Amino acid sequence: MITLVRRITAACALSAALTACAATPQPVRPAPSATATAPSAPPTLAPGPGGLTPVFKNGSRIHGRTVALTFDADMTADQGARAAAGEHFDNPGLIAALRALKVPATVFMTGRWAEQYPEQARSLGRDPLFEVANHSYSHYAFTDDCYGLPTVSGGRMRADVERAYAAFRRAGVPDARPYFRFPGGCYDRRALKALTPVGVTAVQWDVVSGDAFATDAEAVTRQVLEGVRPGSVVVMHCTRSAAPTTERVVREVVPELRERGFRFVKVSELIGS
């Protein structure tokens, strides 16, 4: 009987200890700081006169020898049949060259291109070496008389840009930049006003590579090297069919500019500097 009582007493003591332990409040860990975990918003320019979409052409000429290589991944809304027939609007060799050379770059992508090449779009969007920006959905011009491109109406301009961002999300691009390049580089006050609600910075360039439809890589290389200055934005293309020499140009231009003391950056760094 005494033994039974001792067992019962010990069991009760153990139960009480466990209950007390369970009731002991655990230390509360502080919540992670929002500023420490949230990604910083990409830099943009303040609205232009009258609240219009701002336009960025080049970075500082005095704050370091930086240069941004940008590549337009062009594909118009009506070129699906040509892609299905085997025309290449992508350029994996160019992207491989940029990766091998460790060159940061900004790719201005159309929504239609992202739909045609979703795996490549996703790969670019998730590679910290690159940033994906908006080049419209359709690659239709935002003004009349723009290199023979079809035109998008004023009432559809905003929707065309927003449709491209939706295409990027579907392709798995996690964080497309709030930068927009007008197809053909053509814009006017009406186009800038139409895009004001989207909150983008329009990005132009100060160095035309001349790679579009070029067959002489050396001529394109000379044009880039002669045009680059500190803070330059170079426009090139990421489409094999329309710009077949671009990979060769990049492989020649990059070592030469590095030899001259230039550092390659993305557009976001130029805008933020």
Side-chain angles (χ1 to χ4, degrees), residues 42 107 109 125 131-134 164-166 168-169 173-179:
V107 179
M109 188 182 296
E131 61 186 3
V132 172
N134 197 312
Y165 279 121
F168 301 157
R169 290 191 294 271
V173 176
D175 187 27
R177 306 282 88 178
Y179 309 140

Side-chain angles (χ1 to χ4, degrees), residues 37-150:
T37 59
S40 58
T44 54
L45 297 184
L52 296 180
T53 296
V55 180
F56 179 78
K57 182 178 178 182
N58 59 265
S60 170
R61 302 297 193 191
I62 59 175
H63 294 152
R65 296 173 71 81
T66 55
V67 58
L69 298 186
T70 68
F71 299 89
D72 292 357
D74 293 344
M75 186 173 179
T76 61
D78 56 359
Q79 288 178 331
R82 288 166 57 180
E87 184 170 348
H88 293 286
F89 296 93
D90 63 339
N91 194 338
L94 167 63
I95 300 304
L98 292 169
R99 285 175 167 145
L101 294 166
K102 296 181 172 57
V103 179
T106 303
V107 179
F108 286 88
M109 188 182 296
T110 68
R112 185 64 188 85
W113 194 99
E115 290 177 344
Q116 187 69 35
Y117 306 105
E119 292 183 1
Q120 292 186 54
R122 181 166 56 252
S123 176
L124 288 166
R126 296 183 179 183
D127 187 335
L129 195 64
F130 303 106
E131 61 186 3
V132 172
N134 197 312
H135 196 32
S136 81
Y137 173 82
S138 63
H139 201 256
Y140 288 2
F142 282 55
T143 65
D144 295 330
D145 193 23
C146 181
Y147 302 103
L149 291 172

Side-chain angles (χ1 to χ4, degrees), residues 117-257:
Y117 306 105
E119 292 183 1
Q120 292 186 54
R122 181 166 56 252
S123 176
L124 288 166
R126 296 183 179 183
D127 187 335
L129 195 64
F130 303 106
E131 61 186 3
V132 172
N134 197 312
H135 196 32
S136 81
Y137 173 82
S138 63
H139 201 256
Y140 288 2
F142 282 55
T143 65
D144 295 330
D145 193 23
C146 181
Y147 302 103
L149 291 172
T151 57
V152 60
S153 67
R156 295 292 304 167
M157 291 178 182
R158 174 181 176 181
D160 191 77
V161 174
E162 291 176 337
R163 186 179 179 187
Y165 279 121
F168 301 157
R169 290 191 294 271
R170 288 194 301 271
V173 176
D175 187 27
R177 306 282 88 178
Y179 309 140
F180 176 73
R181 174 165 286 166
F182 287 98
C186 304
Y187 69 93
D188 55 18
R189 181 181 177 84
R190 182 184 69 155
L192 294 176
K193 184 176 181 180
L195 298 190
T196 297
V198 187
V200 294
T201 293
V203 176
Q204 295 289 96
W205 55 82
D206 67 320
V207 178
V208 177
S209 69
D211 68 334
F213 307 106
T215 56
D216 186 346
E218 293 303 320
V220 177
T221 298
R222 287 195 302 271
Q223 186 156 317
V224 173
L225 293 176
E226 290 172 2
V228 166
R229 299 167 58 195
S232 280
V233 176
V234 183
V235 59
M236 306 178 87
H237 293 82
C238 186
T239 46
R240 273 183 285 175
S241 60
T245 67
T246 308
E247 179 188 344
R248 289 176 54 198
V249 171
V250 164
R251 291 187 181 276
E252 294 181 15
V253 162
V254 168
E256 176 62 28
L257 287 178

Side-chain angles (χ1 to χ4, degrees), residues 11-38:
C12 289
L14 177 60
S15 176
L18 291 174
T19 302
C21 190
T24 301
Q26 299 298 306
V28 178
R29 296 182 180 178
S33 167
T35 57
T37 59

